[in-house]
Amino acid sequence: MPIRPNQRRDILHTALVAVVIIFCFGAAGEICGPFFETTADAFEAKFPDNNPKDIENVREQLALAGTDNKGSDSHPYVIIAVTEPEEAVACFDLSAQKELWRRKMPVNSKLFGRGDLAILQSGQDVVALDAATGRVRAAVEIDEGWDFYGAAASGDVMVFTTGIGRADTAGYSNGRIIAVNMSTGRQLWENITGNGILGAPAAWGNRVFVPWKKNKISVLGLQDGAEVARLLTRDFSVNFVHAINGDVFYGAEGTDKRMATLFRFDARAAAGTRDDSGGFSPGIPPAPNTPGFGTDGFRRPLPGFTSPDRVRFYFTPQKSSDRISLANNRYYLHYWRYVVALSAETDAVQWTSAAPEDLGAVHATEHGLFTVSTNGTIRFLSAETGRSLWEAPTDCKPASVLFHVPGFVPARDTSPDRPDPRLGLRDIILDNDNRLIPFRAWAVSLLGRLEIPEVTADLMALYADATLPPALQTALTQALQNRTSGLDYMQQALQMKYDYLEQTKSPPMGIIAPSLARFNDAASLDGLMAHLFDHETPATDMTPIAAAILETGNETIVPSLRDFAILYHADTSFLGHEDALATICRAILAFGGTDGSTLVASLRDDPQTLPGLRKQLLVILDPDAEAKAAAKKAEEEQAAALAKQAELEKKKAEAFANRPDYLAPGHIRVMMGKASVLLRPCIKDALSRRMSLTQVRMNFAIDGTTGAASDLKVIPADIPGLEQCLSQAMTKITFPPFKNPRQSASHTIHITGVKRAESTEE
C-alpha cells in the first residue's frame, strides 16, 4: 500500500524519537544519564557557592540532630573485614574479648558505617550489616561499569557513591549518589553529577555531605536528595569529609612543603581559602608521605592496608563554638608501627609509641587510642603517655577495621611516670627498618627542635654512628647546625680526638665549629686551635674551624696563627680548601696589628703561595683590588675588541677597493653555467608543457653587496610555473660582489633539443 505524505512524516518523527531514546539509554547513556536518572535537584551549575546563609542553616540542622546519629548503640566492638584465609566480616566484642559473629561473604572494599551498622561492597552489591547480629539490613546492586567509593548512614537511610573514571586523571568522569531506606529496601532518591567523581560521603541528622571534583562539598537533604548548600574551596583540594559527634570536618591534602589542614564545616568555611577558613594545620616539619587527617575519599576503598592507610593523622574533636578544638589539646601521627603524640598548641612531641608489628588501623578517643595490628591484635594506648595498657588478640588478619568504642576505657594509666619524648625519638632514629628511613630522618628534625641541652649530645652521638644511612647523616647535620642549646656538650666534644687504638673518632667539627661561633664562646678557643693543628682533622672541616677562630679569637693566638699560615700557605694539600687559609689570614689581620699586616702582605707576594690563596689575599689587603683588576681587564678586552674591529674594517676596505665597478658579461655567463644544474629541472618542466619552446630569456637584477639575484622576469611569461621555478633556483646563486649597489643582467637559454640547452648572456 502506498504511504501517504502525512504517514511518511509520522513514521520519520517516530523513528527520530526512537533513535534519541536508544542513544540516551545506550552508548551515550552517560551524556543523557542525568536527565533520565536523577530524581533530586543537585549538582546544578547555577547553584550558589559559599553562601553564608546556606551554611548557617546547615549548622543549625546539625545542632538539632545533636551528637547521636540515630542508630548508634553503647556497646564497644570492632568490626573487621578479612580476606585471608577466606573472605568474611567479623565482629569482636571488646568488653568480653570474644568474637560475636562472623559472616562469610566477598569483601571488595573497606568498611564504612556507624555504631550499629557496617557497610561495604560485597561482590557487585553495597551491603549494610547489622553490627549486633551480622544480618543483612540492606543490599543494593551497583550498576555495571560503576566503581564504589564509599557509604554513610543516618537513621534508617544509607547513602553511597559510585563513579566512572577517576578524580586524579584527565578525561571523562561521572559520579552518582544513591539513598536507600534500609527498613523498607526502597530507593529514596538518586543524583548524578554528569561531570566529576563524588568522593565518600558523610551523613549526620537529616543532611548528607558529599565531596565533589576535589574542590566542592555539596550538602543534600537526607530524605529527598535536594542540594541545600555548597562549599567551593578556591586554593586547595578537598580529599575527605567526615561527620563526628554532630560536627562535620573536611581536609586539605598535604604537600612536600606544607602539612595537611583540617577544617570544620562552619561559618568561616564560606571563605573557601586555606588561610581564611579557620583550619588547623600542624606546625611541624612536613612528614614523609604527606599524611592527611582522613582517608582519601576519592581513592577507591579497596580492602587491605596500603601506605596511605598506614601514614595518617588522628584526632578527637571536642565541642567548640568558634574554632576547631581537639580533645586533650593533642593530635597523633600514625606511621606504620609508630604513633607520635603532638601538642595542638606548640606542636611539641609529647610521647612516642612503637608496636611490635605494623599497625593497620588507629582510632583516637578522649582517653586514648585503639590500634589494630596487621596480625589482628587490638591494643589500647594511654592518651597521656602512649603506654599500651590493654590488648586483645583476634583470630583475624584484618583488611579493614571499623571501630565503635563509645566511652569504653579498658584500662587506665596509673603510673606517675611520664615518657621522655627525647628517648622516644632517639629510638625511632635508631630503628634499623630501612622502610622507615624518611620517617627516621623526620624524627631527627623533631629531636633537634627540643630545647633540651642533652639533645645536643644525642645528636652528636648519633652523627658519630657510621652505620646510619646518608639521609640520616644529612638530617643530623642540619639539626646540629640549628641548635641553640647544649654548649657544654659541644665543648666536651672538642676534647675528643681520633685514636686508632682506642677506636675513637674526631668530633664532627664541621658542625660543632659553626655552633660555637654562633655562641661566640671564647672558652672553646683552645679546643678549636688544637683541632686546627691536628693532622687528623678532615680538610673539609678546616674552613668552619677557621671561621669559628676568627669569631671567637684574640691577640693571644696570633703567634700560633702565624706559624700555621707560614707552614701551609704553599701546601698543595690545601688545594680546594684555600678558604681556610684565607680565613686564618683574616684572623691574623684582625688580632695581629701592623706585624700581622706585614706577614699577610709577604704571603701575598710569595711566588710559592697557592694561586687560590693569593687571589683572596689580594682582595683581603686591598678590598678594591678585585674591582680594579676587573676594570683593567674590561679595558684590555675593550681595546682588543676595538683593534680587532679596526682590522676587520681595514680588510673590508681593501676588499672593496679590489672589486670591479660592474660584473662583466663573461663573469655572469660563468656563474649561470655553473648553476645550469639548478635551472635544468625548470626548463624540462616547461618543455613538457610546451614542446615548441626554443629559448627562455631571463631578466634580473644583482645586488652589488650581497651578490643576490632578484626581480626575475621570464620570456615567455605565459608558461605556468616557469617563472616561479626559476626564481626559486636563482635564490641559490650568489654572484661576486662589485662596487655599484645594483646591476641589471640578462641570460638566455637556447633550447636546441630536449636533452641539450645552450645559453647566452647580454
Side-chain angles (χ1 to χ4, degrees), residues 20-21 23-25 29 31-39 190 192:
V20 171
I21 293 174
F23 177 78
C24 291
F25 282 102
I31 299 174
C32 301
F35 177 82
F36 287 100
E37 300 178 30
T38 298
T39 59
E190 176 180 354
I192 287 183

Side-chain angles (χ1 to χ4, degrees), residues 593-614:
T594 304
D595 291 343
S597 298
T598 302
L599 173 66
V600 174
S602 69
L603 296 178
R604 175 200 59 193
D605 299 333
D606 186 347
Q608 301 301 317
T609 297
L610 296 175
L613 174 59
R614 181 185 297 107

Side-chain angles (χ1 to χ4, degrees), residues 9 22 37 42 45 58 82 133 208 217 312 321 328 350 358 395 413 472 494-495 528 533 564 582 669 719:
R9 181 192 62 197
I22 291 171
E37 300 178 30
V58 172
V82 298
T133 63
V208 177
I217 298 176
R312 189 187 140 182
S321 59
N328 304 309
Q350 298 183 336
D358 288 339
D395 186 23
D413 194 348
L472 268 67
L494 285 176
Q495 309 309 314
L528 290 168
F533 279 91
F564 187 88
R669 183 187 313 113
I719 300 178

Side-chain angles (χ1 to χ4, degrees), residues 647-674:
E647 183 65 21
L648 289 174
E649 293 297 333
K650 180 180 178 182
K651 290 181 178 180
K652 286 183 180 179
E654 291 174 351
F656 186 80
N658 294 326
R659 292 179 186 176
D661 291 335
Y662 292 101
L663 294 180
H667 213 152
I668 296 174
R669 183 187 313 113
V670 170
M671 292 300 299
M672 294 299 290
K674 292 180 179 179

Side-chain angles (χ1 to χ4, degrees), residues 239-240 252-254 260-261 289-295 308 311-314 333:
N239 65 338
F240 75 87
E253 297 175 316
T261 306
N289 297 95
T290 60
F293 281 94
T295 302
V311 180
R312 189 187 140 182
F313 288 116
Y314 288 88
L333 173 65

Side-chain angles (χ1 to χ4, degrees), residues 370-554:
F370 288 89
T371 68
V372 179
S373 298
T374 51
N375 68 356
T377 301
I378 304 172
R379 294 183 178 87
F380 178 72
L381 309 182
S382 165
E384 295 299 322
T385 66
R387 292 190 187 94
S388 179
L389 305 177
W390 172 92
E391 71 175 53
T394 67
D395 186 23
C396 296
K397 186 176 181 181
S400 182
V401 177
L402 185 66
F403 294 91
H404 180 64
V405 289
F408 178 60
V409 183
R412 296 188 182 274
D413 194 348
T414 59
S415 172
D417 297 332
R418 286 294 177 262
D420 186 344
R422 166 183 156 235
L423 300 179
L425 290 170
R426 192 174 64 185
D427 289 343
I428 293 175
I429 296 166
L430 291 172
D431 190 324
N432 60 8
D433 188 344
N434 286 334
R435 298 177 306 167
L436 305 179
I437 287 177
F439 180 62
R440 294 161 61 192
W442 180 74
V444 169
S445 67
L446 294 185
L447 181 62
R449 288 161 58 98
L450 297 179
E451 291 299 325
I452 304 171
E454 291 77 9
V455 167
T456 300
D458 292 338
L459 293 171
M460 288 193 294
L462 290 165
Y463 184 85
D465 185 349
T467 65
L468 291 180
L472 268 67
Q473 295 284 354
T474 300
L476 287 162
T477 299
Q478 294 171 346
L480 277 166
Q481 288 174 343
N482 294 328
R483 293 296 294 167
T484 57
S485 64
L487 175 61
D488 291 346
Y489 294 100
M490 294 184 187
Q491 291 173 337
Q492 291 175 20
L494 285 176
Q495 309 309 314
M496 297 169 54
K497 289 188 176 181
Y498 172 80
D499 191 304
Y500 177 78
L501 295 178
E502 296 295 332
Q503 289 293 292
T504 58
K505 295 176 60 177
S506 298
M509 292 304 299
I511 298 173
I512 295 175
S515 298
L516 293 173
R518 209 164 44 246
F519 284 116
N520 197 16
D521 177 44
S524 305
L525 192 54
D526 289 344
L528 290 168
M529 291 296 294
H531 283 285
L532 180 70
F533 279 91
D534 188 347
H535 66 279
E536 295 294 345
T537 300
T540 53
D541 289 350
M542 297 300 283
T543 298
I545 291 173
I549 290 172
L550 175 61
E551 190 68 30
T552 60
N554 54 54

